[in-house]
């Protein structure tokens, strides 16, 4: 895309076809991002295939053009699934507004569930790193959660585990 938001070239690596044009909302975000010097990760969206996708906008050095890339969340699901803490501990990855990117509950990922009401996620959205205790209605137990903010993406990683397992 050029600095006016016009598409210069497009490649769709999934099926080898010309990519679909950006929606009006996506184009608005691209235009708002124009002029920034850093890479921007947008909140998770549902793609045209009905699956979550991650849009990334980054400036290119040639004549103020911008690259807009869409990533699937499969890689992040693989990373998350490899993290286990005790019997009930796990990892979760959320975007900058609290939408689940990766979580053991696959329906939370496919439905792009927003968990920004959880205290640890609220703290992540404030760019905090730390530990938080809470009661899990799903697990029906007190939990402790370590969490870390990822500066480059605005995302957060949360690792909750039942307190009883730690004791």
């Amino acid at each position: 895309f050029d600095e006016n938001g016009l598409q210069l070239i497009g490649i769709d690596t999934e099926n080898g076809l010309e990519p679909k044009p950006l929606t009006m909302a996506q184009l608005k975000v691209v235009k708002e991002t124009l002029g920034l010097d850093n890479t921007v990760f947008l909140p998770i969206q549902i793609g045209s295939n009905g699956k979550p996708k991650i849009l990334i906008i980054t400036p290119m050095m040639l004549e103020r053009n911008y690259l807009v890339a869409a990533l699937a969340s499969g890689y992040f699901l693989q990373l998350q699934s490899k993290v286990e803490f005790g019997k009930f501990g796990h990892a979760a990855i959320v975007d900058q507004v609290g939408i689940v990117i990766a979580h053991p509950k696959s329906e939370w990922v496919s439905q792009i569930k927003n968990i920004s009401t959880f205290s640890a996620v609220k703290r992540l959205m404030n760019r905090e790193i730390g530990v938080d205790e809470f009661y899990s209605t799903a697990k029906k137990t007190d939990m402790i959660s370590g969490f870390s903010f990822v500066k480059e993406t605005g995302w957060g990683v949360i690792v909750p585990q039942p307190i009883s397992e730690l004791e």
Side-chain angles (χ1 to χ4, degrees):
F1 294 86
D2 69 12
E3 61 187 31
N4 298 312
L6 299 174
Q7 184 171 331
L8 301 175
I9 189 169
I11 302 167
D12 182 337
T13 58
E14 270 190 86
N15 58 25
L17 302 174
E18 180 80 12
K20 294 180 181 173
L22 294 179
T23 65
M24 292 304 288
Q26 291 168 337
L27 184 57
K28 179 182 176 208
V29 172
V30 170
K31 286 182 177 182
E32 288 170 356
T33 306
L34 296 173
L36 296 179
D37 295 337
N38 56 331
T39 299
V40 176
F41 285 71
L42 302 182
I44 305 304
Q45 304 173 28
I46 295 290
S48 58
N49 62 359
K51 295 183 180 180
K53 74 174 176 181
I54 302 159
L55 281 180
I56 302 167
I57 303 171
T58 192
M60 298 178 71
M61 296 303 161
L62 293 174
E63 301 177 24
R64 301 207 34 89
N65 294 330
Y66 293 82
L67 172 67
V68 177
L71 299 176
S73 59
Y75 173 71
F76 304 105
L77 293 170
Q78 287 177 355
L79 288 176
Q80 176 277 323
S81 69
K82 292 180 181 183
V83 178
E84 294 179 8
F85 287 85
K87 274 187 165 180
F88 299 106
H90 62 274
I93 303 171
V94 297
D95 74 6
Q96 64 271 45
V97 297
I99 296 173
V100 173
I101 297 170
H103 192 279
K105 291 186 178 183
S106 60
E107 65 273 11
W108 284 21
V109 175
S110 63
Q111 296 168 0
I112 62 170
K113 183 172 178 73
N114 189 317
I115 59 171
S116 62
T117 58
F118 290 106
S119 57
V121 178
K122 284 181 186 178
R123 291 177 65 189
L124 279 170
M125 290 168 26
N126 287 328
R127 299 178 170 258
E128 292 182 43
I129 294 172
V131 176
D132 196 44
E133 289 186 40
F134 63 97
Y135 180 78
S136 168
T137 54
K139 304 269 189 218
K140 296 185 178 15
T141 189
D142 289 318
M143 305 280 284
I144 190 164
S145 177
F147 58 91
S148 184
F149 172 77
V150 181
K151 183 178 80 169
E152 294 79 8
T153 60
W155 298 351
V157 178
I158 306 164
V159 182
Q161 181 177 25
I163 292 175
S164 61
E165 284 188 4
L166 295 176
E167 292 172 347

